[in-house]
Amino acid sequence: MRWRWIGVGLAVLAVVAFLGRGLVVEKLTLKRGADAYLVGYPLVTMMATRDALVQPPAAMNAFSHARYLPDGQSSVQVVAPARDTYYSSAWLDLREGPVIIEQPDMGERFWLLPVLDAWTNVIADPGTRTLGNDPHTLVIAGPGFTGETPAGAQVYRSPTDLAWAILRIQAGPGVAKLQDGFTIAPLSDPSATTKPAVFDEPRSTIDVRAQVDALSGEAFFTELATALEIAPIDPEAARTLARIGVTPGVFDVPTGAAARGLADVPARVQAGMTEAIETGQGSTQINGWRVPPMILGDYGSEYPTRAVVAREGLGANLPADAVYATTTVDATGAPLQGDRTYTIDIPADMPVGAFWSVSVYDSRGAFLPGQVDGLSVSGGPDEPAVQITVSPTKSDGAWLRSPEQGPFRLLMRLYLPEQVVLNNQWPYPPVTTSG
């Protein structure tokens, strides 16, 4: 997949020489800095997210279980949170050796435990799709591990010593028992299980995205250089960072005209990333829905895509496990407005192996304040067709509560999508204006 340049429009560099050497240096630094910013944004965001989430009683190499579903009154550190799965997570420090995760019998409940490396690539995807629902022993090892692992264990290797395991369990009764059945211990002593932290409500209102976006160019690249000490990088990306003076543990801060170019980097690239989302760059448009590229979680050298996803939806699943499509327009392309009524005709036999949902958010991806009713609608793969009404006032049947006025967005989640979805050949049901 090819993205058009989302940082800054710098195609005129060839003629800038006529305007003076200082301006050439400034613009060249801006160009190189933008490339490096896109490479490093996921890593800096991961470090900031870890710092926000690993606060007492939470700890490294231990699960934190959320016993609540997010709503408009509860702030969480993700964009467009889901109400159809309960979340747990564990930040893993693998420098002292692998960890062993015991997974309980999940019965008929859908579950998913992707593990992300420090660059947000999914390096393990245990779950209903890959392992089934019987109990399993999982081992997560870092890049330097060469020892033995238990017979029969599922072994996953992270290229970085920092990793993030994000557990999702389908909402339903008995979720606390299922969450508590997941345990973490060092491989060197499997009996030394760590104590999980349990939260009945969100404990932090830190806006990680705003925190990262507020960093100056110098501060951003300084933090990136520090993070590189525990997060190996691929050679192509390393060369990109070196051109701006970033190497593991060291940022060679520019001066003069180069410093002016560096100062412009964050705002210019963030504007480009915002534009990429607003215009749907890289996505596939189907009946008004924007379907993200099918490389999420496995980005390769698609650094701009990886950066945009880290900013807009950190912790993205592999498409084979779940596809999220979003829309801010109706079937005619007109922006969704809170003072109007819309319908979505969900067909029978949705192309999912687990379940589907449609949720409504404000324009920034937060649940609307007020009552919980009307925030999300969900169903299974073999259920009859259903018409969802989207309106500010409650409607009979399936209903999503839009704001009284102003723009909003809808998000459709397809868990264990069928191949027709992964091939972008499924006709997503359009959002139709009613009346």
Side-chain angles (χ1 to χ4, degrees):
M1 185 208 67
R2 299 182 63 87
W3 284 67
R4 71 178 173 86
W5 171 241
I6 68 170
V8 287
L10 299 174
V12 295
L13 279 177
V15 299
V16 169
F18 293 104
L19 303 179
R21 183 178 182 279
L23 187 56
V24 172
V25 171
E26 179 180 335
K27 297 304 181 183
L28 184 60
T29 303
L30 175 57
K31 170 65 171 67
R32 290 175 173 176
D35 291 339
Y37 194 92
L38 290 169
V39 168
Y41 192 93
L43 179 58
V44 174
T45 298
M46 283 284 278
M47 294 300 183
T49 304
R50 177 202 59 185
D51 292 344
L53 294 181
V54 184
Q55 298 289 338
M60 295 294 292
N61 294 344
F63 274 112
S64 294
H65 299 306
R67 299 281 207 247
Y68 61 89
L69 293 175
D71 56 37
Q73 284 67 249
S74 60
S75 298
V76 293
Q77 294 99 347
V78 295
V79 176
R83 286 186 55 80
D84 37 43
T85 57
Y86 282 85
Y87 284 80
S88 303
S89 76
W91 286 89
L92 307 177
D93 184 346
L94 306 174
R95 288 175 291 184
E96 298 300 318
V99 298
I100 187 168
I101 300 177
E102 296 294 346
Q103 169 246 315
D105 187 332
M106 298 301 290
E108 299 298 317
R109 195 72 61 87
F110 170 84
W111 70 283
L112 179 62
L113 183 61
V115 180
L116 281 64
D117 68 12
W119 294 99
T120 72
N121 294 299
V122 176
I123 56 91
D125 60 341
T128 297
R129 176 179 66 88
T130 57
L131 298 181
N133 283 14
D134 291 337
H136 295 90
T137 296
L138 316 173
V139 173
I140 313 298
F145 176 69
T146 58
E148 296 183 355
T149 56
Q154 302 290 324
V155 180
Y156 305 94
R157 293 185 177 274
S158 171
T160 61
D161 281 321
L162 176 70
W164 187 21
I166 308 172
L167 173 63
R168 297 168 174 88
I169 300 176
Q170 184 178 1
V175 71
K177 181 179 179 180
L178 292 174
Q179 287 178 322
D180 291 342
F182 284 83
T183 62
I184 298 179
L187 181 61
S188 59
D189 185 3
S191 65
T193 56
T194 55
K195 182 180 180 181
V198 175
F199 300 97
D200 295 318
E201 60 183 13
R203 57 196 167 89
S204 173
T205 58
I206 295 175
D207 187 335
V208 173
R209 169 175 158 171
Q211 178 179 309
V212 173
D213 284 359
L215 293 173
S216 67
E218 180 177 341
F220 177 90
F221 288 114
T222 299
E223 292 199 12
L224 176 58
T226 300
L228 287 175
E229 294 184 288
I230 61 169
I233 188 172
D234 66 84
E236 179 182 348
R239 288 190 291 271
T240 298
L241 297 187
R243 283 193 288 269
I244 199 65
V246 175
T247 55
V250 177
F251 175 42
D252 186 8
V253 181
T255 60
R260 292 193 295 273
L262 184 77
D264 286 343
V265 167
R268 294 289 190 93
V269 181
Q270 290 164 28
M273 289 195 284
T274 298
E275 180 186 2
I277 290 297
E278 291 177 348
T279 60
Q281 290 179 35
S283 64
T284 299
Q285 308 273 344
I286 304 177
N287 288 339
W289 294 88
R290 292 175 178 172
V291 185
M294 296 299 168
I295 63 168
L296 297 194
D298 186 16
Y299 303 99
S301 60
E302 290 287 351
Y303 307 125
T305 304
R306 190 176 67 179
V308 170
V309 174
R311 188 169 186 253
E312 296 292 331
L314 185 67
N317 303 303
L318 294 176
D321 291 313
V323 169
Y324 298 173
T326 185
T327 185
T328 57
V329 299
D330 66 13
T332 69
L336 298 176
Q337 293 293 325
D339 58 352
R340 298 178 182 176
T341 297
Y342 304 91
T343 58
I344 308 171
D345 290 312
I346 302 294
D349 302 322
M350 286 282 280
V352 293
F355 61 101
W356 60 269
S357 68
V358 182
S359 302
V360 61
Y361 305 92
D362 66 17
S363 58
R364 266 190 63 86
F367 277 127
L368 303 176
Q371 60 182 320
V372 172
D373 191 23
L375 295 181
S376 186
V377 173
S378 62
D382 301 317
E383 297 183 1
V386 60
Q387 184 176 83
I388 301 174
T389 299
V390 186
S391 63
T393 55
K394 186 172 178 56
S395 173
D396 294 334
W399 172 63
L400 290 174
R401 176 170 58 89
S402 59
E404 293 289 341
Q405 59 183 359
F408 65 95
R409 70 169 78 171
L410 298 169
L411 194 151
M412 180 180 293
R413 294 177 170 89
L414 304 173
Y415 292 94
L416 300 187
E418 295 179 358
Q419 195 61 46
V420 66
V421 175
L422 298 176
N423 291 342
N424 285 326
Q425 294 176 339
W426 183 60
Y428 286 75
V431 181
T432 304
T433 303
S434 178

